[in-house]
Amino acid sequence: MYINPPLNDNTLALFEYSVRKVMSLGMMNETNTHAAWAALIFDYEKKSYMRSELMSKVKHDYSYYFSQDLQYSFEEEKIRENFPYLFGEDEELNLFELMSRALDAECTAQKDPRNQKRYKVSSCDRISTQEGQYIYKAQLIVDEGEDPHFTDGVSFIFLTKEAPYSCEVVEFDYANAILFFSSTRLIFVTSDCRVISDATMNTIALKKLLEELSEYNINKSYPLYKFLEGSTDKLKDIKHPPYPSYLEKYFVKDKSQFSAFKASLDKDITFIWGPPGTGKSYTLAAIIMALHSMPGERTAVCCLSNVAVDQLLSKVVKNITVEEPEMKRGEFYRAGRTQDELLLRTDFLFPDDAVSSKIRLMIKLYNKKLEGYRTTNQQFSNEAIEIKAQLKDAREELKEHTDYLINQVKVVFSTISNFVINPRLKDGLFDNLIVDEASMLAMPQLIALARNVSKRIILVGDFQQLSPITVAGIPVLKNNVFKLCGIDINHTNHPALRPLLNQRRSHPKLVEIINKPFYGGHLMTDNPKYNSIVARPPYSECVVGMCSVTEGMVRFTKGGTRQNFANSEAVMHLLDLYNEHEEDTFSIGVITPYTGQVSLLKALFSKREYSTDFQDRVKIGTVHTFQGSESDVIIFDMVDCSKFEKGKPYFGKIYANEQGEQLLNVAISRARHKLIVVCDPEYLKTSPGGSISDRSISIFNTLLKAQWTKI
C-alpha cells in the first residue's frame, strides 16, 4: 500500500508517516539499524544523509516510542495507546481522558533512562550534621558533553545499592562536578551510587489533579469553560470600578500596550501577544496594579521559573514604591522561595511578626557571610556549605511560616509548578489569573491553574518563540494554548488577541533581522538611543558581527550532542576582549543550541581568571535557558560547520523546521545592543541537511551580509 509522504516536515507529521509506512510494510514488530529504517521509511528522499536526518529527527523527538538498542524497533503498544487513530481505531475519549493518558505516557517517558539525568558517584562524604539533617559532598562522574544543572533547594534521588534517598541540593561546584546536598536520613554509602534528577514529581501532581476533574466539574460561567468548548472568541464584558488614574501615564507613548491593558480589565479572556522587547512585563505590572485596586478581587500571577516570578514582582514593587509608597502588608505575596535580596527586604510582602522578621534577618546575615566566602574564592569550603545549608533551611522556614497568606492576600505570585503542588494555591479561589510566557503553556497546565478562576484569564507570551517542553511528544502536551485557540502568525484576528508591536529593547538593526521573517514586518522600533557598547571592540561600530571560524570541526560526544572546539576558543577570545574593559558593567550572554557546547564553554570559562564581577555579568547556556531573559551583548555560537569528525556535515535537527526557526528567533532577540555570531560563513551559505526552512535560510542570508560591514 502506497503511503503519501507528509505534506510538511514537522516532527508530528513525520512520526505519523513513519508509523503508517512501517505498518504498510508489515514491519511493526521487526528490528532494524537506523540506516535501514531511514532507507525503508523515507525512500522518497534521494539523498541518504537526508533520509538519515529525517529518521534521526523522528527518533529524537519521539524516543519514547522506540526500543533502546542500536538496532531498534517501533513500540507498537505505546504508539497504539497514544495514537489510536494511526491504527484506524476511532476511540472516543474526552479531553480529560486524553490528557490523563498523555500525562501517563509523559511520566513513563521521563522515567526512561534515556531521558533521565543520571550521574555516577565516585565518592561521597558526610561533612556535617545540622539539626536533624546531614550534609554531604559527592564527587560526580560527568560524561563528556553533559551540562549538569543542580539548583539550590531542588529535590533529587541519591540511589545506593541498599535504598533510594530523597535529598535536596545545597550547592553545586560546576567546575569540579562536586554536588553538596542535604538529607534527613543518614545515607549508607555503597559502591555504584547514582544521583538521579526526578522530573516526574510535577507530572504526577498534574495528573492527580486532573483525575479529580472532568468537563462537568468546571463551572460553565468561568472563563476556562470556553477553552474546553472552543469558544474563546465569544468574549464576556466585565464591569469594574475605575482603576487608579496614575496608571494612565504608563501608556501615553504606546497605544498597543493601553489596548492590552484595557482588554485585560474589560474582558473575561485576553491573549497578549508580546514579541521580544515590546514591554510585556511593563504592561503586566500595570495590569496587576489595576487588578489589585478592584475591591474584593483576588489575582494569581504565574510564571515558568522562579527567576521570572522575581523579575515580574520586582517591576510591581518598583511601581508600588513610586505610586503607593504606603502600601500595607497583606496585599501581595510571593509564594515559594525567592532568592532575590531586594524582595526579601520589601516589608509589605511579609507579615509584621517577630518570627518572619527574625528569619529574614538571618537570611540577610547568611547572604552577607556567603558573599565574604565568595570574594575570597572559598564558596565551596565546608564552612561556606554549612552556611548555605542553613540559608536553604531558613528560606524554607520563611515559606512555611508565611504560606497562610496565600488565602488572604489580594495578589499571589508563584511558579506554575508550585501552583500545581501547593494545596493552598491549587485549591484556592481566585477572580483573575495571569500567566506569563504562555507560549510554553499546554492545556493540562492551563486547566490546573484556571479551574477555580471566576472572572478573567490573561495569557501573555509570544507564540513565535519556544513551545511547551514534552518528552512523549503527544499533541495535547506539545501544542501551546495560543495554537489550541487557533492563534498563530497567519491567524491573528482572534477577538481576544492584543498584540504589542512597539519594540523598545533592542537596536533597530537587530529588530530588522527578525521582524519580517517572524512577525510579518509589523514590529515598530522605538529605541533611538545610541549605546556605547556598539562603538566598543570587538566589531567596533557594528551592531551585528560575524566571527568567522573556518578551521572548526564538529565532534559528537558520548551522549550524542555536538561540540566544536575552535568555536569555543573563538567565544573565549571574545570574552577576553570584553574583560579587558574593566570599567564596563554591561551584561553578556553566550547562547548555543547544544548542551555539549555549553559544557565545553563553561569548562573553558571556569579556567579563566576572570574577576567575580565579570563572572557575574556573563551567562552561558542553551537557547531554552535564555527564554524570557536578555543581555546587552549576545554571542551566538552556532557550533555546526563544514567539517565533521565522522561522516558528512549536516545541520543538527535542533535547527530544523519550526523548532529551528524558534531557536533562531530566541537567540537573536535576546540581544539589546549587539549580536556576535560565531560560525562558519560558508556553511551557512550551503545549509546542508535539507531540513532547514526557507525562513531560517533567510535569517542566515541576513546575517551573512553583516560579516564585514556596518549595518
Side-chain angles (χ1 to χ4, degrees):
M1 183 176 73
Y2 179 74
I3 305 296
N4 289 318
L7 296 176
N8 58 67
D9 51 3
N10 68 62
T11 50
L12 178 58
L14 291 171
F15 174 72
E16 291 173 336
Y17 168 77
S18 299
V19 174
R20 290 190 172 109
K21 185 65 180 282
V22 170
M23 284 194 296
S24 72
L25 296 170
M27 301 178 67
M28 183 56 75
N29 297 313
E30 295 193 20
T31 299
N32 260 316
T33 64
H34 186 79
W37 279 128
L40 286 166
I41 295 171
F42 298 106
D43 55 343
Y44 61 86
E45 285 288 350
K46 295 181 179 179
K47 297 179 180 179
S48 61
Y49 74 82
M50 185 59 203
R51 295 195 292 268
S52 180
E53 171 70 6
L54 291 173
M55 193 67 228
S56 295
K57 194 169 189 299
V58 170
K59 192 169 184 293
H60 177 272
D61 286 10
Y62 291 87
S63 60
Y64 173 64
Y65 302 101
F66 296 90
S67 61
Q68 299 183 38
D69 307 310
L70 287 176
Q71 293 193 24
Y72 56 86
S73 61
F74 286 70
E75 299 272 358
E76 181 177 354
E77 186 177 340
K78 293 178 180 178
I79 299 170
R80 189 180 291 274
E81 183 178 8
N82 292 298
F83 299 88
Y85 59 88
L86 295 178
F87 298 83
E89 300 172 4
D90 295 324
E91 187 176 7
E92 289 294 331
L93 293 177
N94 65 38
L95 176 61
F96 285 84
E97 290 172 328
L98 283 172
M99 289 189 295
S100 179
R101 179 176 287 186
L103 290 169
D104 260 338
E106 183 73 9
C107 194
T108 303
Q110 288 172 339
K111 291 178 180 177
D112 189 319
R114 292 173 295 179
N115 298 319
Q116 279 188 328
K117 294 295 184 182
R118 292 175 171 240
Y119 302 97
K120 291 182 180 179
V121 178
S122 62
S123 64
C124 183
D125 301 300
R126 177 157 52 99
I127 61 176
S128 74
T129 303
Q130 296 181 2
E131 298 180 4
Q133 71 170 349
Y134 305 93
I135 312 300
Y136 290 89
K137 172 182 178 180
Q139 178 68 62
L140 305 186
I141 300 174
V142 179
D143 287 337
E144 183 186 37
E146 288 189 314
D147 179 37
H149 290 279
F150 292 100
T151 306
D152 304 356
V154 171
S155 300
F156 67 92
I157 302 297
F158 190 91
L159 184 65
T160 71
K161 284 185 176 180
E162 303 298 327
Y165 296 84
S166 295
C167 305
E168 281 193 357
V169 176
V170 173
E171 182 63 277
F172 183 57
D173 179 356
Y174 186 93
N176 298 299
I178 298 175
L179 176 64
F180 301 90
F181 63 95
S182 63
S183 172
T184 55
R185 297 166 58 195
L186 182 63
I187 297 177
F188 294 94
V189 179
T190 63
S191 60
D192 196 28
C193 294
R194 281 174 167 76
V195 166
I196 304 173
S197 295
D198 185 7
T200 62
M201 183 175 67
N202 291 328
T203 306
I204 292 171
L206 183 59
K207 181 178 182 296
K208 184 178 179 181
L209 189 154
L210 292 180
E211 284 176 344
E212 299 170 0
L213 298 175
S214 74
E215 183 178 345
Y216 305 105
N217 297 128
I218 306 299
N219 191 316
K220 290 186 177 182
S221 67
Y222 286 4
L224 175 61
Y225 196 79
K226 294 182 179 180
F227 286 84
L228 301 180
E229 66 173 8
S231 61
T232 55
D233 57 335
K234 296 178 174 60
L235 302 180
K236 174 184 175 182
D237 292 332
I238 304 293
K239 294 182 179 180
H240 59 83
Y243 50 81
S245 58
Y246 65 76
L247 290 173
E248 297 277 357
K249 67 184 179 186
Y250 283 66
F251 305 109
V252 171
K253 296 182 178 180
D254 195 325
K255 292 182 179 179
S256 68
Q257 289 180 346
F258 185 64
S259 174
F261 171 81
K262 282 281 292 173
S264 298
L265 303 181
D266 298 343
K267 304 297 180 182
D268 62 336
I269 296 173
T270 307
F271 295 97
I272 300 179
W273 176 27
T278 54
K280 293 191 298 289
S281 298
Y282 179 88
T283 306
L284 268 184
I287 292 170
I288 292 166
M289 293 293 290
L291 292 176
H292 166 262
S293 73
M294 303 297 164
E297 292 192 17
R298 300 185 70 235
T299 301
V301 183
C302 294
C303 305
L304 282 169
S305 67
N306 277 301
V307 172
V309 173
D310 288 344
Q311 288 176 342
L312 180 54
L313 178 53
S314 295
K315 290 183 184 295
V316 174
V317 168
K318 183 178 179 181
N319 289 351
I320 291 173
T321 303
V322 174
E323 307 294 352
E324 300 186 37
E326 302 302 319
M327 177 64 67
K328 62 182 181 180
R329 298 175 191 256
E331 298 287 310
F332 293 83
Y333 179 63
R334 200 301 196 189
R337 292 183 288 194
T338 178
Q339 296 192 24
D340 189 297
E341 292 190 32
L342 176 62
L343 296 180
L344 285 167
R345 293 197 301 268
T346 304
D347 289 336
F348 67 77
L349 295 177
F350 300 93
D352 187 13
D353 63 64
V355 176
S356 61
S357 296
K358 179 182 177 181
I359 299 172
R360 289 167 62 202
L361 178 60
M362 292 304 298
I363 290 174
K364 182 179 179 181
L365 293 174
Y366 289 146
N367 278 321
K368 188 174 181 180
K369 288 182 180 179
L370 288 171
E371 185 58 31
Y373 281 108
R374 190 164 182 266
T375 54
T376 57
N377 203 30
Q378 299 181 65
Q379 65 268 35
F380 300 119
S381 65
N382 287 356
E383 295 80 5
I385 295 302
E386 288 179 20
I387 294 173
K388 192 70 184 286
Q390 292 171 338
L391 173 62
K392 177 180 72 69
D393 292 342
R395 288 190 179 122
E396 179 63 23
E397 186 181 358
L398 183 64
K399 179 182 83 71
E400 291 179 356
H401 176 71
T402 58
D403 242 17
Y404 71 90
L405 289 172
I406 289 173
N407 297 326
Q408 299 179 11
V409 300
K410 297 195 67 177
V411 183
V412 179
F413 290 77
S414 172
T415 61
I416 293 173
S417 58
N418 184 49
F419 195 103
V420 173
I421 293 171
N422 190 312
R424 284 193 171 99
L425 283 167
K426 71 184 182 69
D427 297 328
L429 302 177
F430 294 93
D431 299 278
N432 312 303
L433 170 69
I434 296 173
V435 183
D436 195 11
E437 296 294 351
S439 66
M440 300 186 75
L441 188 74
M443 182 60 83
Q445 288 84 2
L446 177 63
I447 292 173
L449 299 177
R451 65 192 181 101
N452 292 324
V453 173
S454 60
K455 280 191 177 181
R456 304 176 183 88
I457 294 177
I458 303 163
L459 302 177
V460 188
D462 180 8
F463 46 78
Q464 288 296 88
Q465 300 210 3
L466 300 178
S467 300
I469 299 172
T470 169
V471 183
I474 301 171
V476 74
L477 303 179
K478 198 170 187 177
N479 294 330
N480 66 54
V481 289
F482 288 95
K483 187 172 184 178
L484 289 170
C485 295
I487 299 172
D488 58 33
I489 190 62
N490 297 315
H491 303 89
T492 57
N493 58 348
H494 193 290
L497 184 66
R498 292 294 183 274
L500 306 179
L501 298 175
N502 292 310
Q503 218 285 357
R504 289 188 171 83
R505 181 176 73 197
S506 299
H507 191 285
K509 295 296 183 182
L510 293 172
V511 179
E512 282 181 17
I513 299 174
I514 62 172
N515 194 0
K516 188 174 181 180
F518 297 115
Y519 302 104
H522 295 304
L523 289 181
M524 295 171 283
T525 56
D526 188 15
N527 185 18
K529 295 180 181 178
Y530 178 82
N531 193 287
S532 60
I533 296 172
V534 176
R536 297 283 181 89
Y539 300 95
S540 301
E541 298 297 340
C542 289
V543 177
V544 179
M546 297 290 285
C547 181
S548 175
V549 182
T550 57
E551 70 279 11
M553 177 181 292
V554 171
R555 63 179 301 275
F556 290 87
T557 67
K558 181 179 177 182
T561 183
R562 301 186 182 197
Q563 291 182 330
N564 185 325
F565 189 78
N567 273 35
S568 66
E569 284 293 330
V571 170
M572 298 312 300
H573 176 66
L574 292 169
L575 292 178
D576 289 342
L577 291 175
Y578 278 120
N579 184 52
E580 292 175 1
H581 301 285
E582 295 182 357
E583 75 280 8
D584 290 333
T585 58
F586 54 81
S587 58
I588 303 171
V590 180
I591 301 179
T592 182
Y594 299 106
T595 56
Q597 192 73 353
V598 170
S599 174
L600 180 57
L601 288 166
K602 285 183 176 180
L604 293 173
F605 187 78
S606 66
K607 293 176 182 177
R608 292 293 209 272
E609 294 183 356
Y610 292 138
S611 67
T612 301
D613 172 68
F614 187 73
Q615 291 179 43
D616 289 342
R617 292 194 285 113
V618 177
K619 177 183 176 182
I620 302 172
T622 61
V623 177
H624 282 86
T625 63
F626 272 85
Q627 172 106 344
S629 62
E630 59 193 55
S631 295
D632 294 311
V633 176
I634 286 292
I635 301 173
F636 180 31
D637 179 359
M638 296 190 69
V639 181
D640 287 347
C641 69
S642 301
K643 297 177 183 177
F644 272 36
E645 192 175 56
K646 294 180 181 178
K648 294 181 179 179
Y650 62 94
F651 260 113
K653 50 186 169 290
I654 199 165
Y655 282 108
N657 309 312
E658 184 180 9
Q659 175 183 251
E661 295 171 3
Q662 293 172 344
L663 179 148
L664 289 171
N665 188 13
V666 173
I668 294 168
S669 63
R670 299 308 93 193
R672 291 194 195 101
H673 307 297
K674 196 162 196 167
L675 172 70
I676 300 175
V677 183
V678 179
C679 67
D680 178 353
E682 291 303 315
Y683 192 70
L684 289 192
K685 291 177 184 177
T686 57
S687 299
S691 59
I692 307 300
S693 71
D694 291 341
R695 185 176 288 169
S696 293
I697 290 174
S698 73
I699 295 291
F700 294 163
N701 290 334
T702 301
L703 292 174
L704 285 167
K705 293 176 185 176
Q707 189 171 356
W708 304 114
T709 60
K710 300 175 184 179
I711 65 170

